[in-house]
Amino acid sequence: MTALLTLDGVSRRFGGLKAVDDVSFDVNESEIVGLIGPNGSGKTTLINLITGVHPATAGHVHFDGHDITRQRPYRIARLGLARTFQIVQPFQRMTVVDKVAAGALFCGHASDVREARAIAREHLEFTGLADMAHRPAATLTLARRKRLELAKSLAMRPRLLMLDEVNAGLNPTEIEEALAIIRKIAEQGVTIIVIEHLMKVVLSISHRLVVLHHGQLIAQGTPREVVADKRVIEAYLGAKYAAGNPGVSN
Amino acid sequence: MRSWLTLAVIAPLLAALPLVGNNYALRLATTVFMYSVMAQSWNFIGGLAGYPSFATAAFFGLGAYASAILQNHGVPMVPAWACAGVAALLFAAFLGGAILHLRGHYFAIASLIVAEMLREIVNTLPDFTGGGKGMNLPLLKLSVTAQAQFFFYAMLALAVLTVATAIVLQRSKLGFGLRCIQQNESAADIIGINSYAYKTAGFCLSAVFVGVAGAIYASWVNYIDPPDVFDVLISVKPMVMVLLGGLGTIFGPPLGAVVLLLLEEVVWRNFLTMHVAALGVIIVVLVLFLPHGLLALIRERFPTKAMAN
C-alpha cells in the first residue's frame, strides 16, 4: 500500500496556543482512518491545515506526490481532496441540486452547468435526496443536510474524502443510514478520513485510528490497539481511571 | 430561454420609441438605458458575487475621460468609445488585484475612494484633461433630433448588450461560481473555485460596459468635468436600482432603472431644493418594505412554471 496523504511534523499556532503540535501520520490508498480526540484536541484545525484553509506554521503535507503545504484551497480541492463541514452552512440559499452541481462543476470535471446538474442528480439519487432536488438547501432537516454535504463532496470526484462529524446530532437510525452510505463510498475506492466524537461509530467503520489530544498525536493503530492504549483512556477519562482499569475500552 | 424571449420582445418595442416620442421622451429613455447599463453592471459584482462595489463612478468617469482625450487627439468617436470600455476593463483588472482580497465593508470603503482618487488625478493634470475646467468634446454635425435619436440608439444597443451578457453569465460557470462566492467564499474555495480569479472577472465585467456608457454620455452632453462624471451618486444609484428591481436577477436592474428615473423626475419637480433628501427617504422606505425588490413582488403575484426550476 502506498501513502496517499502524508503529514510530516505539521504544526499550527494561534498566537500562543499550539492548536496542532508536530503531528505526523500517513493515510494509505483505500483506507478508512478515524481521527478522534476529546473536544478541542485540534481535529478540525488539522483538517483545515490539510485543506489549506489555514496554512501550517511548520511541517509539510503531501498528497499524491504533491506538496500541498501552502497551496491555495481551490488547488488542493482540484487535486481530489474533498471535505464536509462540521457545521453545515455553506450555500444555504441555493437549491439542493445546484449545491451538489457546484461540486461537480468546479472539481468534478463537468464541462458546463447543465452537465453538472445531471451529475448532481446521480449523486442525489445515491444519497437518497433525489426528491428534494429543487428545494432550498436551508429547508432540509439536519440529517438530510449532512447527506447533502456528502453528495456535494462526492460530486467533486474526490480521491480522499474528509468527513467532519457527519454523524453528530443524528439519531441511531440516521447514523446507520449515514454509515451505510460511507461504506458504499469506500467500496468505490475513495480513501476516507472520519472525524468523529461517537466512539461506537468510529470503531465500527475505521481500519485504523489516529488519536489527538491537546493538538498532539498520542496514539495510532487498529481500533483494538487504540482503545487499549493507556494514554487514550487517560485523555478521555482521566489519569485515575487509566491507572485503575488498564485496557478497559468504552 | 424565457429571458431571451423577454429581451427579444422588449428591445424592438423600445427601438420604436422615436416614432412616437418627442425629444424629451427620448432624453429620458436614453438616461434610463444608461442607468440600466450601470445597474446591470453593478449587479455582476454586487448582486452575483455579493461585493458591494462603489467603483461605478470611477469606471464611468474613466470611460468618459478616456474617450474625450482620445477624441481630442483625433480618434473617431465610436472607436474611442470602444477604447474607453477597454480602459475601464484594464483598470478594473488592476484595481481588483489590489482590493478584491478585502471583504464586506472593507471592500466597499476601498472601492469608494477610487473615484475620488481619479477625480484628483484629473484635477492635477490640466494640460492633459482640462483639470477643473473640464473638457469639450467634438460636436456632431447633426440636427438636434437626429442627435437625440443617435444617442438613444447607441445607449439602447449598449443596454441590450449588457442584458444579453447578464443572461449568458447567469447560466455560465462564471455566474455559478460568483453565486457560490456570494453565499460563502471559504466554502467556494473548498469546492475548487478560484475565487480570486472569479471575483476579478466579475469586477471587470462590471466595469467594461460602464466605461462605454461614460464615453457615450460624454459625447452626448458634449462637455464633461470631474464633479459631473466622478459624482458619488453615480456609484450609489446603481445599487438603489438593483435593490429596487431585484438583487441578482436579470430584469430587476433595468426595471429598477426605470422606476428610479421616474421617481427622480417626480421628486425633482416637486422638491426642487431638497430632492436628494427626498430621494434618500424613498430609498430607506423601499429597502425597509421591499427587501427583495419589485421583481420578487411581481413573481409572487404571478407565479410561473419556470420558477419551480
Side-chain angles (χ1 to χ4, degrees):
Chain A
M1 280 208 283
T2 51
L4 182 63
L5 179 76
T6 308
L7 272 68
D8 184 16
V10 173
S11 300
R12 171 74 199 189
R13 284 171 164 279
F14 293 108
L17 175 77
K18 273 188 176 168
V20 171
D21 187 7
D22 195 20
V23 170
S24 304
F25 66 88
D26 290 346
V27 176
N28 296 319
E29 201 115 28
S30 306
E31 214 181 2
I32 302 180
V33 172
L35 177 60
I36 62 170
N39 275 332
S41 58
K43 303 186 292 289
T44 296
T45 307
L46 188 62
I47 294 303
N48 283 338
L49 292 183
I50 297 171
T51 52
V53 175
H54 301 311
T57 40
H60 286 279
V61 185
H62 286 269
F63 177 70
D64 193 27
H66 301 89
D67 185 348
I68 58 166
T69 314
R70 272 166 203 88
Q71 284 276 19
R72 301 277 311 266
Y74 78 93
R75 285 189 182 277
I76 295 174
R78 286 181 188 175
L79 286 174
L81 224 144
R83 72 176 288 188
T84 63
F85 281 85
Q86 179 177 2
I87 300 154
V88 189
Q89 34 98 2
F91 309 152
Q92 289 274 325
R93 290 185 297 283
M94 272 189 172
T95 59
V96 166
V97 66
D98 274 2
K99 181 167 161 157
V100 180
L105 187 58
F106 297 105
C107 260
H109 321 290
S111 56
D112 57 24
V113 175
R114 189 188 295 262
E115 193 188 333
R117 289 203 173 115
I119 295 170
R121 288 206 179 83
E122 286 168 27
H123 290 293
L124 289 178
E125 202 75 53
F126 177 74
T127 45
L129 294 169
D131 296 344
M132 28 216 94
H134 296 295
R135 286 178 40 183
T139 62
L140 265 53
T141 61
L142 179 69
R144 282 175 176 155
R145 267 183 282 158
K146 298 233 172 192
R147 265 192 274 159
L148 176 58
E149 276 286 302
L150 262 181
K152 186 203 73 187
S153 306
L154 286 178
M156 291 165 64
R157 280 213 230 151
R159 300 191 55 200
L160 173 64
L161 180 60
M162 286 177 284
L163 305 172
D164 197 351
E165 307 223 354
V166 278
N167 298 307
L170 303 189
N171 69 35
T173 325
E174 290 166 344
I175 289 175
E176 280 309 314
E177 287 171 8
L179 287 182
I181 292 174
I182 294 171
R183 286 203 181 92
K184 272 201 272 179
I185 296 168
E187 280 165 19
Q188 296 171 1
V190 179
T191 309
I192 297 175
I193 298 180
V194 189
I195 303 162
E196 198 53 77
H197 251 96
L198 303 166
M199 273 298 215
K200 207 181 107 193
V201 171
V202 119
L203 295 178
S204 76
I205 203 164
S206 307
H207 301 140
R208 205 155 57 85
L209 292 184
V210 172
V211 191
L212 286 185
H213 185 47
H214 294 316
Q216 288 173 322
L217 189 138
I218 57 165
Q220 60 173 321
T222 64
R224 189 186 292 271
E225 290 164 8
V226 164
V227 294
D229 190 293
K230 204 170 161 189
R231 278 180 304 172
V232 176
I233 299 164
E234 211 175 283
Y236 272 90
L237 300 168
K240 206 171 134 196
Y241 194 88
N245 301 275
V248 174
S249 69
N250 59 328
Chain B
M1 207 58 224
R2 240 173 92 247
S3 306
W4 287 118
L5 278 177
T6 313
L7 184 62
V9 170
I10 292 177
L13 282 178
L14 291 173
L17 191 70
L19 300 176
V20 290
N22 56 16
N23 285 354
Y24 170 67
L26 284 192
R27 188 183 67 77
L28 278 190
T30 309
T31 311
V32 163
F33 299 149
M34 188 174 85
Y35 278 7
S36 173
V37 169
M38 283 151 47
Q40 195 75 266
S41 296
W42 185 81
N43 197 33
F44 293 150
I45 188 75
L48 285 179
Y51 273 69
S53 162
F54 280 88
T56 311
F59 302 141
F60 188 85
L62 182 74
Y65 266 98
S67 168
I69 291 167
L70 285 173
Q71 288 186 56
N72 285 344
H73 284 80
V75 178
M77 185 171 66
V78 176
W81 292 355
C83 291
V86 174
L89 181 117
L90 293 177
F91 182 64
F94 163 76
L95 185 65
I99 66 172
L100 274 172
H101 63 278
L102 302 170
R103 293 190 186 180
H105 303 93
Y106 299 99
F107 171 78
I109 291 169
S111 68
L112 182 61
I113 60 160
V114 178
E116 290 305 311
M117 192 185 78
L118 288 182
R119 185 211 293 241
E120 283 310 313
I121 290 173
V122 167
N123 275 331
T124 51
L125 296 170
D127 296 337
F128 198 46
T129 62
K133 285 185 304 197
M135 274 183 105
N136 286 304
L137 281 99
L139 290 170
L140 292 184
K141 293 178 183 65
L142 289 171
S143 73
V144 171
T145 308
Q147 278 198 35
Q149 290 189 358
F150 175 75
F151 287 108
F152 170 87
Y153 282 117
M155 218 54 114
L156 173 62
L158 186 63
V160 169
L161 185 64
T162 318
V163 173
T165 305
I167 297 173
V168 173
L169 185 64
Q170 200 90 355
R171 285 136 196 230
S172 71
K173 195 171 170 177
L174 175 60
F176 205 104
L178 289 177
R179 273 190 289 146
C180 291
I181 290 170
Q182 185 249 324
Q183 304 213 3
N184 189 325
E185 192 166 334
S186 312
D189 279 334
I190 291 291
I191 60 165
I193 297 174
N194 183 352
S195 52
Y196 208 64
Y198 271 63
K199 286 185 293 186
T200 307
F203 202 46
C204 289
L205 270 183
S206 87
V208 59
F209 300 112
V210 173
V212 178
I216 298 178
Y217 171 82
S219 296
W220 183 30
V221 299
N222 288 133
Y223 168 79
I224 52 170
D225 68 347
D228 182 28
V229 294
F230 291 115
D231 186 359
V232 69
L233 277 179
I234 294 174
S235 293
V236 176
K237 279 179 188 170
M239 294 185 191
V240 178
M241 294 184 253
V242 172
L243 292 175
L244 203 56
L247 196 69
T249 61
I250 291 169
F251 290 102
L255 179 68
V258 174
V259 175
L260 187 81
L261 187 85
L262 293 179
L263 281 175
E264 270 187 349
E265 283 292 309
V266 172
V267 170
W268 202 290
R269 280 184 201 160
N270 296 310
F271 302 93
L272 200 54
T273 51
M274 45 174 284
H275 63 271
V276 176
L279 206 56
V281 172
I282 292 171
I283 289 163
V284 169
V285 169
L286 283 170
V287 171
L288 282 178
F289 294 102
L290 203 62
H292 300 295
L294 288 167
L295 214 57
L297 202 68
I298 294 169
R299 284 190 179 152
E300 263 170 42
R301 291 282 155 82
F302 309 101
T304 58
K305 267 186 296 179
M307 274 193 59
N309 297 316

